[in-house]
Structure formats: C-alpha cells, structure tokens
Amino acid sequence: MDKIKIEKGTSTEEQIVELLNSAATESDDQSKVDCLIKIQELIIHKEPGLLDNFVDEITAFQHDRSADVRKTVVGFIEEACKVDQELLGKVMHSLQLLLNDTSIAVLKRVIQALTQLHKVTLQWLAKAKSVTGLMESTWNMLNQMKSQIAKMIDHDNDGVRTIAVKFYEMIIISQTYPEPDSVRKENEFSLEEVPLTLKIARPRKLEEEAQLMIEDLMKYHGSAHISSANLMACMGSLTHIAKSRPQFLDRIVTAMEMLHANLPPTLSKSQVNSVRKHLKLQLLTILKHPASHERSGNIKTLLADLGATPQEINKALPSPEEIAKYPRRSERAEDSKSGPAAKRRKIEVDAVPLNRENTKEKALSITEEFIVQHLSTKKATDLVIDALPRITNNMPPHFSSTYTPVSEAGTPKQIRHVARLLASQMTNVGIGPGVDQVGYTPKMGNDFEDDDEEMDDGVSAVSPRFRDGDDPAKPGIAQIPPQVQIRARQRALKLAEIVKPLTPQMNESMARSALQRVLKAERTAMLGGVAANRQKILASLATLFSGDFKDLVVEYIMSDPRSRIELAFSWLYEEYSMVMGFCHQSTIVKDEYRQSAIDSYSSVFCSLVNELKKQTDLKEREMLLSRLFHESPHIPEEGVSILRSMLCEDAKLVDISIQIVRQLVHRPTKQLVYLNVLLEISSHEVEEVRSAVLSCLTDLYDRGALRRVIEDYAVMYLKFLLLEEPPALLCGPEKGRSEIITTWTEEITKACLYLFLAILHSNEKLIHELALVYVQANADIKRRILRMVEGPVEGMGMESPELLKLVETCPKGAETLLIRIIHILTDKYPPTHALVDRVRNIYQQRVPDVRFLIPVLNGLGKKEVLSVLPKLIKLNPDVVKKVFGRLLGTVGDSSATYPSPLSPTELLIALHNIDSTQCDMKTIMKATSICFMERGVYTQEVLAVVMQQLMDQNPLPTLLMRTVLQSLSLYPRLSGFVMNILQRLIVKQVWKQKKVWEGFIKCCQRTKPQSFAVILQLPPQFLQELLNTSPDMKTPLLEHVMAFTDNQRMHIPKLTMDVINGIAQFQAEAEDITNEDSKDKEMGSPEPMESAFHGDIEPPAPGET
Amino acid sequence: MNRSMEAHNFLSKKGYRVQSFGTGDKVKLPGAAPDRPNVYEFGTPYDDIYQDLLQKDRELYTRNGLLHMLDRNRRIKPHPERFQSTTEQFNLILTCEERVYDQVIESLEGRDSQTTPVHVVNIEIQDNHEEATIGAFLMCELVSMMANSDDLDNDIDEMLQDFEAKCQRPILHCLLFY
C-alpha cells in the first residue's frame, strides 16, 4: 500500500511495471498474490486499455510454484476476458494448461473461470461478424476443455465434482432456448443470442449437447453413491435449470420424486436431514415458478412428505394471475406451430425420442396408472402382510428422521401419491406394466454393464445425426460433440471414493472385535460343523496380527487349555509356516520379515508356555506342557530358557521339565542344547532338582548317548576344584545359588563333584581323573572329596580293573584317596586276592604306610599280620580299634563274617608276645585293653584259652598277670580258673620274673581269701615277700590258717607257719637270696596238696564271704 | 444479536475474518412483556439501542443481560446488519437456528447464480446467554477444523459427521453458490 501511495503520481503503466517486478522478485507467495491482485485492479478497473500490453506478463505467472499465485492468474484471466473478449484467443491456451494443474484448488478455479468464459466465448462468437481462425481454434480448445471438465463429474475430489456440476448447469442453460416463463437473470446467455448462421457453433448442435448434458446431470443426481454435498449442488443446479428452462421442469420434478423415494444409502442421518431439507427448499422454489403449475399436485404431496406445512406450501404457490399469464405448455406447444419457435420446438421434439429419461417417465406414468387402478384396500393389506417378515427388528436410523405421518390416508390423492412412489421404485428396478410397454431398461448406478451398453447406444444413435446435418468439410468440429458424449457417463463404483480409510484406532478396534467374535463363536462353529475351519481362521488371524491380538488369542486358549490346545498348535504351525516360508503370504517374505516372523513365533510359543505354567490343574498342566514342547514344530531359544528356568526355579515343575528335556535330548539337531540345559542344572543347589537331573543324566550316560559331552562336562567341573576360587558360573539363580560364592565352601565343592561322581559308577576310568585332581587340590577339598567318594566307589566294587589299576599306578599324593577307596570297598566285603596283592605291593615297594594294609588285613597272611601288628597298634587308638574290629570281624555288618587271618585268641596272644623293642609296653597295654573291650569276642572262655596258652609260654609274657587281672575283673567267675593259674605260676616259680611276680601278688590280693590256699603254697621266703609287699594280707591269712583244723594245719610247713606268724622274717629274706637253687625242690613238694586244698577251700566264693 | 455476536466476538479474537448478520425484517429484542418486544431497524447503532433500553427500564434490562450484551456488541461493530442486504461473499456461513438457515438459503438462492461455492452449516443453539457461549465454542472448534483443511470442499462431509458425533447436536449443511 505504501508503495502505491508513493507512486500515485506516476502513471498507471509505471505502477504496473513496478508491481510486476516486485511480484517476480517477491519470495513470499502471499505478497506475490497481493501484487497480482493490485495489478488486476489497476488494469481492469482503471486502465483496461493496458490489458493487451500486460496480459502476457501476467499469464507468465501461471508457472509459479505457488498454487495461490496460479489461482490468482486464473482469476485475472477470467476478469480480463470479461472485459476484453478479444483476449480469449490469447489466454485459452493458458487455461488449457492450468486445467491439468496438479493442485485441486487451481483446478477448481479454472473450472469456475471456464464456467464464466464459456458464456463469454459464445457471446464473442455470436457477436463476431465473421469467424476468424483464432476464434475457431479458441472454440475448439474450449470444446476440448469442455469434454475434459464433463468427465470431472466423476472426479475423485468432492469439490471438483461440485464445480463440474455447476459447469454442467451453465452449459445447459446457455446452450438452450429460454421460454416465455423462464426466469431471466442478468448476464444470462441463451441460444437466442446465437445466430443460426454461426457455422462453428450451430445452435442446434449446441442444444443437442445441452440435452445430453442434462441427461447426464440427472443421472448423476440419481446415482446411488453421490455424496451429500454433490447431491445438494446437483439439486440446486437442477432447480436453477428448471426455473430458467421450464421445458425441463417436468423431468426435474420426476427426478426429485425419484430421489425422494430412493435416497442414496450412503448418507448419514444428519445428511439425510440436510438433503431432505434442501429438497424441500428446492421444491418450494420450483413451486413458486408458474410453470410448475401442471405438476403442483405432485410437488405438494412431496413437500408434505418432506414435512412442509400447508402454510409454507401455500405461500410458495404462485398467484392464479401469474399462472394464467403463461399458457399451459401442452397447449402452448400446439399454439406455436409457426415461426422460428416452431422450428426450435421441432428440433426439441426430435431430440426427445432419444431421451431415456422421457422413456422412463412414460413408463413411470403407465405403471402409476396401473397401480392406481389396482390399489384396493385388500391389495394394500396383502402388500403390507407380505412385506412384514422383511421388516427389520430395529428401525433404520433415517426412517425415524424421515417419517412424517400420512395426512390424508385413503383419499384418492394419497392413493395416487403412493402409486407414484411405488411406480418410481418399480420403474427403477425395471418392473411393472409401464416398463414392459415402453421397453425401458433401468440403469442402476451399480449396474455397470447396463451403463456401458447404454452409453454405446447413445453414441451410435447420436453420431449419425451429426453426420447427416453437419458439414463434412470440417471434421475437426464435427468430432467434438461425440467426444462430449464419450466421456465415462456411467457412475462407476469407485471404492476409493466412497470409502474412507479407517483411522488406525478404529481399524484396530474393529479388527479386535472381529477377532473376538470369531473367538466367541466356538459353540456355534462346533454346532455348525466348521470347528476346523474356525480353528484355521483363528490361527491365520492370530498369525497375521500382532501384539494385543496375540495376547487375546493366548488368553482365549488359556481359559480352557485342554480343549483349545489344538488351536494353539494350529497357530504355532501357522507361525512356523510363516517363518519357513511355507505360506503363500510369505512369498514376499524377505530376510527382515523372516526375522520378525521368527520373533513372532517364539513370542507366541513363550507366551503359551508361560500361561500354561500358570494353570492350576497340575496334571493337566504337565500334560499340556509336555505336549507343547514335544509337538511344536520348533522350540525357540527363548523356549529353551523357559524350560531351564522351569527346571531350576519351580520345584513343582521339575519333574515334568526333566521329562520334557529328556525326550527332547533325543532330537538330533538340538541334542546339545538340551543336554546343556541338563548339564547346567546338574550342579543345582536344591537336592531334589539335582538328583532328578543327575539320575536323568546318568541314565543318558549309561545308554551311551552323548557320553563324551557329559564326560567332558563332568571333568571340566571336577577341574574347577583346582582353581583359586569357585568360578562364577557355579552361582546364579539358575543354579539355586543367588549369591556369588568366592571361597571353596563345602557346598560349592560338592557342586563340582555331583555330576562326576554320578557318572563315575558308569565309567570307572574316570577315577584316574579324580585321583589327578585330588593330588593337586588343597587339603579342605581333599577332605571333602574323601567324604563324598564313598557312595560311588562302593558301587564300583573291588573287582573293578580300573580301580586295581589305580591302586597299581597310584599317583603320588593320592595315597589318602586310595586308602579311603580301599577302605570303603573292604568295609563290607573281604578284600579280594587281587586287591590284596596290589596293596601289598604298594606297601612293600612304594609307600611303607601301614595304613594301606588295614583295609586288606583280612586278606593278608597270618605272618604278615603279625609282622605289622606292632606298627598297627601304634596308630591312633581309633584306628587301632577299627583294625581290631576288622581282624575280629566286629566291624560292619554282623552278617559279614569272613575269615580273619587271626583268631581273637591269636590276636591277644600276639599282642602279648610283641617285642617290647618294637613297641613300648604302654601301647601294647592299650591294644590289649581294646581287645578286652570287645566283650562279645573275648568271652571268658576265650580269655581262659588265652591265659592257658600264655601260661605255657616260657618266659611268661610280661603282661600275663595284667591280662589275668583284667579277665578276672571282667569275668569274676573266672576266679577258680585264676586260682589254678596262680597255682601253676607258683610251680613255674613266678617270683623269678619281677613284673609277673608283682602281678601275681596283686592278683592274690584281689582274689583273697580264695588266694590264701595258693599263697600258702608259696615257698616261705616268697610268702614273706608277699606279705611284706601287702601287709594287709597278713592278718586275714593268719585267721584263715587259724580256722584250719589241727589236722589241716599239720600240712602247712613249719616255715610257712612261722612266716605267717611273723617269725623268721630275716631267714626268709636271707634264704631268698642264698637258696635260689632249692626253689625248684620246694616247689615240687606242695604240688600234690594242691588238689586237696583246692577242693576244700574253693566253695566259699569271694562275693559270699 | 446474542448467539451470532457471541460467536463473532469469539472467532474474531481467534483471528478469523468474521461478520455477523441477522436475517429477520427487523431487529427484535425482548421487551417488558412477551407481546411487546423492542423493535429496531437494521442499522440502528447498538449504542442507540443501549441508550433506549437504559432509559426504558434500566433495572429489567440489566437483570436479563440485554444491556450487557449490547455493551459487548457495540464494542464489536457499530450496528446490527442484515444478511439479505450484504453483497459480500463468504467461504462459510454458520447459522444457529434452522429458521435462519432456511432464510439464508432462500436469500442465496434468490441471487444471481454464479460459480463460487459457499457452505452453509446450521448448528442448533438455543437463544440464551449460556448456550450462546457454548455455541461460540462449538463454532470456533468447527471453524478451526475447517480452516485447517487443505481442501474443505472435499473434507467437509466427513468433518461435519465427526463434529456432529462429537457435539451431539443436529447439523444441517448445504452447498450453495454465489
């Protein structure tokens, strides 16, 4: 604005140049548009003379990038041409280019402009004194565009169709003749203005064209899928035509009646309301026109149907004077038989027979007449009864909105109205007497073939006429009208046009509810015998959809897994087919899709498994789970990890999962995977899990399957024991150990051994591995190994060649292990010869550790045992006890009695005979007391035998008296026997061995008063010694002797008596030293008395006194 | 004067180019009794009407909100306008009552038929202050939807259906031409 003000002084031309420059340089679209509009204002309203100078410059903007600028150019062209028609020739080409513009807005603007310019062009031609070449080419161009626009009535864009309808309206009005009662408007153009002499645009030809176009327009108006906006535009246009060209009014009213009876089914409720309202307004408008008088009855009934009040209708009715002003058209047609009008009429009438609409109308009225005659009350009742079953349960939405109460039911008028409605519907579908008589074939919007035929008819019927009446010298022009007709007149069903893509949410929710319906239809499908099909459908659907939908199906299956598991399988197989590319859908499946298909498969599989795990019915759950794993086409990795977690996390699922894996391990391709699952869990913390897995593994191992892998794994674990600290892979939730353990605890040590020890039984060769590891392991671990090795070794048995080999080749450091093993083996069974030999070899050649021999003692010879006995008893008392146990057969099962190289007697005697240089007395004493503790073995008889045998030895064993004493204390009943021994000891001159003599004295002390008889037999000096040693014996002894009868006392030597009486103590002592030789003599003398004494004295037992 | 002006006010504040019109013969405002409305000619300035009512019964017209309304109106434009008298062309005509919709269509039909399309849309709004406010919001929503469309002629059918479902009021629509 500023610029313009500044430049006010300059000439308009300069201003325009300035504006053009700025429009060209302006980058902003809106500013360009503004500049162009200013130019338009300046030129058209201020200096039209400049138009010619600048039109080229402005039309140059038609190539601008901006649609708005192009639109402005079109507007300029339109205005310019209205001012100066001569410009038409110049700009038509630009318009033709713009008509092919990609922008819908520009396209619409061009059509709008052409709607105006068509009229202008005709005017230009009509006024021209002679037709120039330019005019002709312009007209040709316009005709081409006309046919192009005519086709746009089927354009994809609603707005373009609307504008095209208006274009039709304009052509129809401007290419027909007005009638006296036509409503005339300013600027209206009609054929009246076209001179008959105009060669390039013959009025007759133009009128024919208009006839065809109104037919098209009415067909469009009645098409089934017309949009609400188009329909209203169409109605408006038809109303305009009806008013401007009353000759079409009849047909237009019929068309509207048809529309009323057959509203497009695609309209929504409110659109129906709008359309009905619009229809009402249009009919009221038509009713106002005097020419509608003949049809006013029809129109009024229609209006009443549409809800118009009588007042409204009356208000719209023209006054009688007005009607009277115009004669009835029928009469008028007869009146006007002369003059140019007659000629025009004739042309019009000529054209009519071609017109399908007229045929239709005729058929309609014949049918209507027929119905009126036949529509009795009874017929009506029959019709209603017939139709009743077909009435839907629910009121269709637009019924309620369109229904108006029947006001004049039963009157002839209403019957006629109903008849007309029925007739129009019948005619539409091609039935009724009218159709038969006239030969009308219906042309339904959705019946393409009919339309095609009809179009062909139209062309063939019209074309010859053109050829007849036309100048053959100008074929270019002659061809144009056919072009107009040839455009696709049928309203093809364009799906893209009448349906809108659903919103994603809508789409999804509809798909979801569809799926849900299929899911719900289980029973119905079963009853209908299509359960299998349904399953197939569901499987395919579930496969094709994603996410939520899959969840839905999973949920559905899980609500009754037992009966729906088949669906699950069918689904899995479907998914699998996708993965493998078996389906036809998957022919396009590329690698990336394949990956997603794999993902989808595994997610489905996992969610099925996971959901199944949650089932409460345990038996069913197990059954289904194992089916799922065994019968699925493929178990994804995720499935394996679920299996793994089932194994180690859920105690209830362990059994079933082990069974599953056990089966799966036999699948060749995946063997290792499943084996690995088992192996990993073989060191599980929880006993139940572990033992189940281990038994499964050993079973597999025993069957020879995958032996090597299991073995390697076991050895690998075994070797972990040599590491500084336990490897991390032993810990973790899947092993039942949630915390990381960094030291070799008992548990973790065991964990490394479980599997190994489990299969050791089956493959004894492995024992060598164990030995090697044992050698290098630290003390703690060694101890644990020793503890754990028991069971497995027991199972091996002594005969095992591997074991014997181990014994033979025992690696250095593994001796303890070996001892332990041998121990275990010989615990219950006597050592075999082979074992004994090997052990003996080790002992003799390599490791002189007597402990080696312990387990095989029983297998050794007597001599050998005796030779190692001193060493043996030097061991830990517990060990000694065990050794004796073995020798005595008291260890282990009582039933396990096997020959011992030494009898208990022999053992005890051997102990007594151990040389004190080899072993100190204390140790021997301990060993003997161990023997005494075995009271089951060392009964009084055994001890008596031992003592007897010891007595026979010479010299007497040092420990003899100790043994005697102990035996006595254990078995007091032995006292008699002991007396016997004591007596024999005297004979053996017991006093000569100091230790034994001490023991003798002790024994006498213990066994008093029984021992008195024996004591009295001692040589006096030794008696004296005895009494000296234990003075407390003196008095009892004296009393004992005193209690004797004199006769008895007579047998006691004098010396002895002296000693007893305390006399000759010294002599006794002296004699003890000097008369050593006489002892033998003395000893002999008392002997005969022994038995006598014995017999007499024995009865009073020590306990009884 | 109430509903259209409320919408006019609201829409122009949102930056739309709006004009508001009546369609009756005269401007009618409620009076002291139902049968005695206050009637003015189109073109009578709002200010004059305001003064007139103020002088007639200040208390009544304050209570029923007329004075407030007139005060608002005089700040928007000088005086009421009649649709039938305007020659201006619009892209969209919104009406608040079926009767007015009919009158608009009648008026447009009577004009010289040209080619520029105009959409006429009716949204039922009751003639009271609260409804007028709600109506203004509804109109604004509809207008902004339409303004955002690249190709209104093509989209309007669907748009109106959506809008109708949303606002739960009957919608009338037709396409006319200038």
Side-chain angles (χ1 to χ4, degrees), chain A residues 569-615:
Chain A
F569 281 118
S570 153
W571 180 13
L572 276 174
Y573 274 88
E574 191 76 25
E575 293 269 2
Y576 187 67
S577 311
M578 279 308 259
V579 174
M580 302 307 286
F582 299 151
C583 294
H584 64 276
Q585 291 104 318
S586 55
T587 45
I588 47 150
V589 167
K590 300 270 159 51
D591 278 353
E592 62 262 45
Y593 295 115
R594 192 178 142 78
Q595 188 49 48
S596 72
I598 291 171
D599 290 348
S600 160
Y601 177 85
S602 64
S603 81
V604 169
F605 184 86
C606 293
S607 53
L608 283 173
V609 175
N610 283 329
E611 289 300 318
L612 264 185
K613 271 165 65 185
K614 291 182 201 153
Q615 292 292 314

Side-chain angles (χ1 to χ4, degrees), chain A residues 808 837-849:
Chain A
E808 264 174 55
D837 277 354
R838 283 172 172 81
V839 174
R840 189 190 289 131
N841 277 347
I842 290 187
Y843 178 67
Q844 287 170 356
Q845 293 164 12
R846 296 174 46 198
V847 201
D849 187 338

Side-chain angles (χ1 to χ4, degrees), chain A residues 104 108 112 115-116 157-159 162 166 169 185 228 232 240 268 270-271 274 277-278 282 500, chain B residues 98 101-102 105-106 109 111-115 117 151 153-154 157-158 161 164 172-175 177:
Chain A
I104 294 290
K108 285 195 280 192
Q112 272 179 35
T115 308
Q116 301 290 322
N157 187 290
D158 221 9
T162 308
K166 291 307 277 186
E169 176 196 332
K185 288 182 180 170
S228 128
M232 284 189 283
H240 274 296
S268 75
S270 75
Q271 285 174 337
S274 296
K277 187 165 185 58
H278 204 67
Q282 299 306 322
K500 297 265 152 63
Chain B
E98 195 168 341
Y101 174 81
D102 292 349
I105 293 174
E106 199 186 347
E109 292 273 353
R111 295 185 193 190
D112 194 9
S113 171
Q114 299 285 316
T115 54
D151 188 354
D153 291 341
N154 201 29
D157 269 0
E158 202 183 325
Q161 286 199 49
E164 184 178 33
L172 291 171
H173 162 237
C174 74
L175 184 58
F177 297 85

Side-chain angles (χ1 to χ4, degrees), chain A residues 856-877:
Chain A
V856 293
L857 272 179
N858 291 344
L860 293 174
K862 194 169 176 176
K863 269 190 186 162
E864 283 170 310
V865 176
L866 290 179
S867 68
V868 295
L869 199 56
K871 284 185 188 166
L872 284 172
I873 59 174
K874 271 188 223 161
L875 297 171
N876 185 315

Side-chain angles (χ1 to χ4, degrees), chain A residues 889-998:
Chain A
T890 54
V891 173
D893 295 337
S894 52
S895 60
T897 48
Y898 41 79
S900 166
L902 289 179
S903 67
T905 328
E906 283 169 331
L907 174 63
L908 198 52
I909 293 169
L911 285 173
H912 283 84
N913 291 335
I914 289 171
D915 192 346
S916 57
T917 53
Q918 282 182 324
C919 187
D920 64 309
M921 203 50 78
K922 219 173 184 176
T923 316
I924 300 171
M925 270 155 65
K926 270 186 200 156
T928 51
S929 45
I930 290 170
C931 289
F932 284 118
M933 272 148 72
E934 295 291 346
R935 292 184 68 165
V937 177
Y938 289 95
T939 56
Q940 53 184 10
E941 289 80 15
V942 174
L943 287 174
V945 173
V946 171
M947 286 186 276
Q948 190 71 50
Q949 290 193 3
L950 287 174
M951 282 297 296
D952 293 344
Q953 286 180 11
N954 201 10
L956 292 164
T958 323
L959 289 173
L960 171 65
M961 283 321 288
R962 192 175 180 277
T963 305
V964 172
L965 277 170
Q966 280 204 314
S967 306
L968 193 60
S969 65
L970 284 170
Y971 303 106
R973 281 165 173 272
L974 278 175
S975 58
F977 182 74
V978 170
M979 288 310 117
N980 197 356
I981 285 183
L982 290 176
Q983 219 154 9
R984 283 174 63 190
L985 283 172
I986 295 169
V987 176
K988 283 199 131 183
Q989 296 181 332
V990 66
W991 48 85
K992 284 185 180 165
Q993 279 179 278
K994 191 166 174 268
K995 289 273 177 189
V996 184
W997 174 234
E998 279 168 14

Side-chain angles (χ1 to χ4, degrees), chain B residues 8 14 35 41 49 52 63 80 91 96 104 155 164 177:
Chain B
H8 182 168
K14 294 276 175 188
D35 57 338
E41 285 296 326
I49 304 174
D52 185 43
R63 183 150 37 84
N91 295 322
C96 315
V104 166
D155 297 340
E164 184 178 33
F177 297 85

